[in-house]
Amino acid sequence: MTSLAVDPRHRVEVPLGQRSYDILIGAGLIDDAGRRIVRLGGARCAAVVTDETVAERHLPRLRASLETAGLRVPVEAVPAGEHSKRLPMLEQVLDALLAARVERGDIIVAFGGGVVGDLAGFAAGILRRGVRLVQIPTTLLAQVDSSVGGKTGVNTRHGKNLVGLFHQPALVIADTALLDTLPVREFRAGYAEVAKYGLLGDATFFASLEKSWPEVFAGGPARDSAIERSCAMKAAIVARDETESGERALLNLGHTFAHALEAATGFGPRLLHGEAVAIGLRLAFAFSARLGLVPLDEVARVQHHLAAVGLPTRTGEIEGSVLSAETLLGHIAQDKKVKDGALTFILVRGIGQAFVAPDVPPDIVRAFLEDELRRS
Ligand SMILES: NC(=O)c1ccc[n+]([C@@H]2O[C@H](COP(=O)([O-])OP(=O)(O)OC[C@H]3O[C@@H](n4cnc5c(N)ncnc54)[C@H](O)[C@@H]3O)[C@@H](O)[C@H]2O)c1
Ligand SMILES: [Zn+2]
């Protein structure tokens, strides 16, 4: 086996039998992407799907690495932003891949944030009934969350992520140096998902983040380690429940409230997904406290940490926010499968102790939201 010039600082395996794959984490890894993709075997072409912003900043280095390894490299760059995660764009990407003569044994490279990962992953899953996918995530959110686990899809007018499929990647390359060009607001939003992993299942990790978050934001080894811990947690949960029939739902801690807030604010730049998650995480803890499951000082700790890194934690912090409990509850009911009038929530018994609560009465949620909106 040839040695590679850039050793990943961290390697996390996602153990899924024959579909197992590695997540490589470290600075500078895209320079070796070509050789690593060639080692997957059988591909003559690595078709890159990216967005225009990522292409402008980082495509030349990725392209050089792929071409040096002897791969043909067609590129399709879509406009940056959530608006690209739609069926017409999927068709455009599929057409471009077919026009570039991407064959069954070739590889599609998703090079960007979660939008590109979900769109390119979906395209890879259905092109010629499925070609291999390599995720090269370029946002913190994508490195710790969306590039791992195989969920792909697009939005429709009926809602987010309603059309898609599971298509696990063959490899994930998280080049952490790419995060240096990410706007701090985007980094912070991704950090909400990092904190989420500690809050849902690893109190020690959360405690370490409370101390080391400035170094995580500054980059370097602390950032790489936090990304590795996050990926390891997601990998373990995905390995135990690949298609979300049970435990994988824990990854949605804070997300029921977050999705309702995003829907109420139009999924736009007013409130990024991770910002909604930060508010949602505090709400999940506050709601659990209201149900007598968790002491108030744990809620305060969560709130304090998220606020310390500059994330919003209260609905009142959303710009121009005019929210009603009824609207939010409507979105929650729509988002969730309502069983006999009861809602499923991810609740907590403490930091690092999330669990699935399948039978929460909507009235209690409504009363909680009314209080929250009044106080915020
Ligand atoms: N599949 C999953 O399991 C999963 C999980 C979580 C989220 N998601 C999806 O992920 C999407 C959000 O992903 P996101 O937050 O990465 O958003 P995104 O892909 O829109 O990226 C955010 C912005 O950052 C820019 N950008 C990306 N990398 C950059 C870099 N290195 N330097 C400078 N700018 C860069 C992008 O061009 C974009 O403008 C949502 O659609 C969400 O539904 C999917
Ligand atoms: Zn999320």
Side-chain angles (χ1 to χ4, degrees):
M1 212 191 283
T2 52
S3 72
L4 295 168
V6 185
D7 273 336
R9 287 186 52 84
H10 303 280
R11 180 192 301 268
V12 173
E13 200 203 9
V14 187
L16 290 169
Q18 295 209 314
R19 286 171 294 107
S20 297
Y21 55 94
D22 280 340
I23 308 164
L24 308 179
I25 300 155
L29 289 179
I30 56 167
D31 293 328
D32 266 334
R35 283 193 282 177
R36 291 185 192 281
I37 288 172
V38 165
R39 287 212 304 183
L40 295 173
R44 282 185 298 177
C45 165
V48 177
V49 180
T50 185
D51 76 29
E52 287 162 359
T53 305
V54 175
E56 194 190 317
R57 287 176 177 61
H58 302 293
L59 184 61
R61 264 177 66 206
L62 177 64
R63 188 200 287 273
S65 164
L66 298 172
E67 286 179 350
T68 305
L71 294 159
R72 191 164 65 78
V73 188
V75 174
E76 178 66 5
V78 302
E82 188 72 28
H83 197 61
S84 282
K85 234 180 84 172
R86 289 180 308 128
L87 286 165
M89 198 59 80
L90 177 71
E91 186 176 12
Q92 183 182 313
V93 169
L94 289 168
D95 270 340
L97 294 170
L98 290 168
R101 303 183 319 282
V102 175
E103 302 290 341
R104 194 78 219 283
D106 290 333
I107 281 172
I108 294 180
V109 177
F111 186 47
V115 164
V116 162
D118 284 6
L119 178 70
F122 192 5
I126 58 176
L127 185 79
R128 300 188 189 279
R129 301 202 174 79
V131 301
R132 286 172 298 171
L133 170 71
V134 170
Q135 291 272 10
I136 307 189
T138 65
T139 63
L140 180 58
L141 180 134
Q143 294 194 349
V144 299
D145 192 354
S146 58
S147 67
V148 176
K151 280 191 185 175
T152 77
V154 296
N155 309 325
T156 79
R157 75 170 73 91
H158 299 283
K160 264 186 64 116
N161 301 324
L162 290 179
V163 179
L165 40 73
F166 284 96
H167 187 54
Q168 297 290 348
L171 177 67
V172 179
I173 301 174
D175 182 340
T176 51
L178 301 178
L179 302 178
D180 292 342
T181 60
L182 194 65
V184 67
R185 187 180 172 199
E186 293 286 350
F187 187 89
R188 216 184 265 134
Y191 182 85
E193 306 281 4
V194 174
K196 178 192 77 177
Y197 289 111
L199 293 175
L200 77 87
D202 187 344
T204 309
F205 180 45
F206 185 75
S208 82
L209 290 172
E210 287 179 304
K211 288 201 201 77
S212 70
W213 70 265
E215 286 112 80
V216 174
F217 275 70
R223 183 173 66 185
D224 288 13
S225 298
I227 292 170
E228 182 211 28
R229 184 67 199 123
S230 301
C231 287
M233 287 195 67
K234 179 145 187 191
I237 291 174
V238 166
R240 291 195 291 265
D241 177 18
E242 187 177 0
T243 53
E244 196 164 322
S245 50
E247 190 193 350
R248 187 164 174 167
L250 295 180
L251 296 170
N252 292 332
L253 178 63
H255 280 60
T256 301
F257 292 118
H259 288 157
L261 293 169
E262 286 182 276
T265 53
F267 293 100
R270 251 173 87 194
L271 185 68
L272 299 180
H273 173 70
E275 294 168 343
V277 169
I279 299 173
L281 288 169
R282 198 207 35 95
L283 291 177
F285 271 76
F287 185 50
S288 301
R290 191 179 172 113
L291 298 175
L293 292 165
V294 65
L296 278 171
D297 56 347
E298 298 267 280
V299 186
R301 232 178 110 189
V302 175
Q303 142 111 32
H304 183 260
H305 179 58
L306 296 172
V309 309
L311 282 162
T313 56
R314 299 188 172 279
T315 50
E317 290 175 69
I318 302 169
E319 204 190 293
S321 123
V322 193
L323 300 167
S324 79
E326 215 43 57
T327 314
L328 293 178
L329 199 64
H331 289 302
I332 288 172
Q334 217 166 44
D335 191 43
K336 297 276 130 191
K337 290 172 208 91
V338 185
K339 270 197 204 131
D340 303 326
L343 300 164
T344 298
F345 270 82
I346 312 303
L347 299 178
V348 283
R349 294 202 175 85
I351 288 172
Q353 297 174 59
F355 67 99
V356 182
D359 47 11
V360 179
D363 285 350
I364 300 183
V365 184
R366 184 185 293 108
F368 168 73
L369 286 171
E370 280 166 358
D371 280 0
E372 161 68 20
L373 292 170
R374 216 177 10 252
R375 280 193 215 142
S376 239

